[in-house]
Amino acid sequence: MGWSSWNNFGPDINETVVRDTIDAMERLGLKDAGYIYVNIDDGWQRYKGSRAEHPLEVDPVKFPNGMKPLADYAHSKGFKLGIYSGPGDSTCAGYTGSEDHAAEDAKLFASWGIDHLKYDSCCSHSDAPQAEVQQVMLDMSTALIATNRSIVFHACHCGWANVWEWAAEEGANQWRIGQDISDDFNYPGNREKYYFDVLDMLDRGNAIAQYTGPGHWNDYDMLIVGLDGESKQLVGTGLSDLEYRTHFSIWSIMASPLLIGANITHLSSYDLATLTNKEVIALNQDGLGQAATLQYSSPDNSTQVYAKMLKDESMALMLLNRGTTTADVTVSMRRDLTVPWDVYRMRDLWKGRDLGPYDIPFTTEVQAHEAKVYRVWKVGCTVGC
Ligand code: GAL
């Protein structure tokens, strides 16, 4: 959990933005809610162009004091600092990359006190041979381990080459399941699918949910909560408050990394309440480390039920309305979720309200593009307990 600079700031990132972000995350209760990583994405490097022609250095105008004091500042406030590079000669935004310099760069990052590396092969490189991508990711993973510093490794390959099938074995802690997210809930048009909206990510992630587990996560991309269609980096026109909440519910129950992408200092109180709902976050951070999976879909796929078990043997449940009109959704423990719970109690995590106990299927009204999220506990059962 943390923040990443890209979705809002793109390459216009600097020391002041990072410090202000750290201060605001502390002040606004985001640190207390668990958002610890402050990740600087592409654009911190001094040179644009090829690594063969330029060294990898910090841009002295954007970061006049260098990275080490910034990492020290982050650490002094209880945060961790992340940075970005890629295995190419240059990065996606055209800055010098780490090609042929993995060991040297890993040492440099460790010497600064870096805690997280997003190592990005670039979404436009879908045609890179898989064996080559696997090798360069392994090179960096090995180099990071050799530094003896604990650095979270994001092997970013934009969902190409079935990265989820091999990245964990190479030591990656997270990998993107697709290209960049757009600031849309369910974009109606056709962008040749370069960008994925919220529902696209859900469908992609649900199909590969089994690859998520403790320490190695399907990454649904940085959160768009609070961008409000104003990002210069992302396409998309923004979501309603409720849709952003649904987006956050999905990322939480699917156990995606939660990296806020908005300008922290501009978040509305509604968006802050969304991002700091501790009971929803608890589903994301649960010790079993599972992603929920689709349990039931209505014939027209407009309403869906997702669920996963949690470490304390309760269940996380999400009732999603993808459609455009309010709908009733019914869930039966035995029929839909195949748990032998005849009597159960629930808590509505967005309303903060306890419900039940019930011994009948549960029915509720779900608004268009709303996700209702519950935690469910067994109270009793008669058969197959
Ligand atoms: C893309 C990546 C984005 C961002 C960008 C930086 O490949 O998907 O999240 O990191 O590169 O140039």
Side-chain angles (χ1 to χ4, degrees), residues 43-183:
W44 60 269
Q45 311 88 328
R46 178 172 195 165
Y47 298 106
K48 277 216 160 184
S50 153
R51 181 65 183 269
E53 287 158 24
H54 304 286
L56 183 65
E57 286 175 14
V58 181
D59 185 322
V61 177
K62 293 175 176 171
F63 296 89
N65 294 299
M67 284 299 169
K68 175 94 175 66
L70 204 50
D72 290 346
Y73 185 68
H75 296 153
S76 74
K77 296 248 173 182
F79 288 90
K80 293 181 182 289
L81 196 70
I83 208 152
Y84 173 97
S85 193
D89 188 33
S90 57
T91 64
C92 306
Y95 295 88
T96 48
S98 292
E99 189 173 55
D100 298 330
H101 292 78
E104 175 191 331
D105 293 356
K107 273 192 210 141
L108 181 68
F109 301 147
S111 75
W112 291 340
I114 292 295
D115 307 291
H116 181 284
L117 174 66
K118 176 173 172 184
Y119 200 54
D120 185 3
S121 68
C122 233
C123 291
S124 53
H125 289 179
S126 59
D127 52 353
Q130 181 168 332
E132 216 173 86
V133 182
Q134 284 191 234
Q135 188 58 52
V136 290
M137 290 299 180
L138 185 59
D139 289 347
M140 183 48 93
S141 175
T142 311
L144 290 174
I145 289 167
T147 68
N148 277 329
R149 183 173 174 83
S150 175
I151 300 177
V152 173
F153 182 43
H154 175 182
C156 182
H157 190 45
C158 289
W160 305 118
N162 290 349
V163 54
W164 41 84
E165 286 177 358
W166 51 264
E169 277 174 34
E170 294 202 345
N173 303 109
Q174 68 197 87
W175 48 82
R176 286 259 299 276
I177 63 166
Q179 294 104 275
D180 292 4
I181 193 164
S182 72
D183 194 8

